[in-house]
């Protein structure tokens, strides 16, 4: 009876739906990868032994490699999303341009990242792998920047809409709730983007973020990704 209650519990069903998605598994692996990056830095700063640090360094590298393999070919998805956004003439021009820029940035990042896959897995070493990875980070930084601009513009739009809402009417109350929901989603994405951009900025040495900041920021954005994907699979 107890076993049946656990097995058929709605949370277990929800969990199975979550981990059956590539995005769900990636977000979990990403959380562990960036936490390992942060914790390895923390142990190093607190003068821990090499034997204590090594498992976390290995986790960071191995989970990063697993994620690189899992996202192989995902660049096509973003190229298609960019084309769809460009063709959507009904979308606000600013949001359309930022959407296209974001998707092309991510597509470029994943394309460059894919070219380093054989080198990263040790199948075939390439002298160009380091340069290609740097190009990948540039594309990623550009994509996130477009996303940040898009979210800031969305929040500004929502503020303008809210000023016109008459909360004394039934339709106004409904519109107010809709705006609040959209604002929460936009703020969540903006927070995630601001955390994520620390990764390419540090990798490109444009900003002097250490592994502690990058690892912690990456962990936060990964947890936000887990939260979003969990809600999507509800």
């Amino acid at each position: 009876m107890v076993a049946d209650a656990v097995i058929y519990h709605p949370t277990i069903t929800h969990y199975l739906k979550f981990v059956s998605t590539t995005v769900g598994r990636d977000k979990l692996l990403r959380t562990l990868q960036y936490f390992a990056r942060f914790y390895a830095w923390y142990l190093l700063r607190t003068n821990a032994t090499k034997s204590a640090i090594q498992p976390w360094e290995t986790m960071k590298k191995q989970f990063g490699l697993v994620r690189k393999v899992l996202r192989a070919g995902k660049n096509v998805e973003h190229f298609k999303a960019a084309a769809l956004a460009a063709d959507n003439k009904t979308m606000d021009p600013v949001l359309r341009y930022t959407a296209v820029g974001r998707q092309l940035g991510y597509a470029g990042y994943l394309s460059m990242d894919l070219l380093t896959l054989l080198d990263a897995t040790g199948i075939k070493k390439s002298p160009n792998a380091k340069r290609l990875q740097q190009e990948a980070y540039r594309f990623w930084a550009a994509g996130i920047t477009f996303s940040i601009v898009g979210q800031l513009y969305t929040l500004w739009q929502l503020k303008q809409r809210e000023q016109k809402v008459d909360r004394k009417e039934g339709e106004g109350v409904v519109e107010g709730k809709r705006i609040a929901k959209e604002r929460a989603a936009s703020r969540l994405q903006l927070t995630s983007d601001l955390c994520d951009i620390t990764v390419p900025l540090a990798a490109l040495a444009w900003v002097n973020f250490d592994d502690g900041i990058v690892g912690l920021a990456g962990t936060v954005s990964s947890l936000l990704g887990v939260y979003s994907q969990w809600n999507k699979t509800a």
Side-chain angles (χ1 to χ4, degrees):
M1 293 294 290
V2 175
D4 286 345
V6 172
I7 292 172
Y8 293 106
H9 195 278
T11 303
I12 298 298
T13 303
H14 189 176
Y15 166 77
L16 293 174
K17 288 174 65 178
F18 174 80
V19 296
S20 69
T21 65
T22 303
V23 175
R25 294 193 300 274
D26 177 71
K27 295 303 180 184
L28 288 176
L29 288 172
R30 192 177 192 272
T31 301
L32 295 173
Q33 176 194 353
Y34 279 96
F35 177 76
R37 183 170 181 171
F38 164 75
Y39 198 58
W41 169 86
Y42 171 77
L43 291 175
L44 181 64
R45 290 294 299 269
T46 54
N47 297 318
T49 62
K50 287 186 177 180
S51 60
I53 298 172
Q54 188 57 47
W56 298 99
E57 286 286 350
T58 302
M59 181 186 295
K60 177 186 72 175
K61 294 176 182 177
Q62 293 301 102
F63 283 9
L65 180 58
V66 171
R67 292 185 59 239
K68 184 185 282 284
V69 174
L70 286 176
R71 62 177 176 258
K74 200 172 184 291
N75 55 332
V76 177
E77 175 186 328
H78 290 282
F79 277 123
K80 181 179 179 180
L84 291 174
D87 291 338
N88 189 353
K89 306 303 181 184
T90 61
M91 186 185 293
D92 180 285
V94 175
L95 292 179
R96 180 153 59 93
Y97 293 140
T98 55
V100 171
R102 180 179 72 251
Q103 296 298 342
L104 288 178
Y106 293 159
Y109 161 65
L110 292 169
S111 296
M112 294 296 105
D113 188 67
L114 179 60
L115 293 176
T116 68
L117 182 59
L118 293 180
D119 180 88
T121 54
I123 296 173
K124 185 179 181 180
K125 288 295 180 180
S126 170
N128 298 319
K130 186 175 181 179
R131 179 179 61 82
L132 290 170
Q133 194 63 63
Q134 290 295 98
E135 291 300 321
Y137 283 127
R138 287 189 178 90
F139 275 112
W140 191 11
I144 297 175
T145 299
F146 275 110
S147 183
I148 290 172
V149 172
Q151 295 307 323
L152 290 174
Y153 181 75
T154 296
L155 290 171
W156 177 81
Q157 276 193 323
L158 291 172
K159 186 177 181 179
Q160 300 304 306
R161 279 172 55 190
E162 190 173 40
Q163 291 176 352
K164 300 176 182 178
V165 172
D166 183 359
R167 297 184 181 277
K168 295 179 181 179
E169 298 181 358
E171 292 183 5
V173 173
V174 174
E175 176 67 3
K177 291 181 179 179
R178 186 182 297 115
I179 290 173
K181 185 176 180 180
E182 292 177 18
R183 180 185 289 115
S186 185
R187 284 176 174 171
L188 190 71
Q189 184 59 53
L190 179 60
T191 302
S192 180
D193 289 337
L194 291 173
C195 288
D196 279 341
I197 204 168
T198 62
V199 182
L201 291 181
L204 294 166
W206 289 353
V207 180
N208 190 27
F209 290 138
D210 58 30
D211 272 4
I213 293 174
V214 175
L216 193 58
T219 302
V220 171
S221 68
S222 300
L223 289 172
L224 292 176
V226 169
Y227 172 78
S228 297
Q229 185 63 16
W230 181 265
N231 288 338
K232 287 179 182 178
T233 55

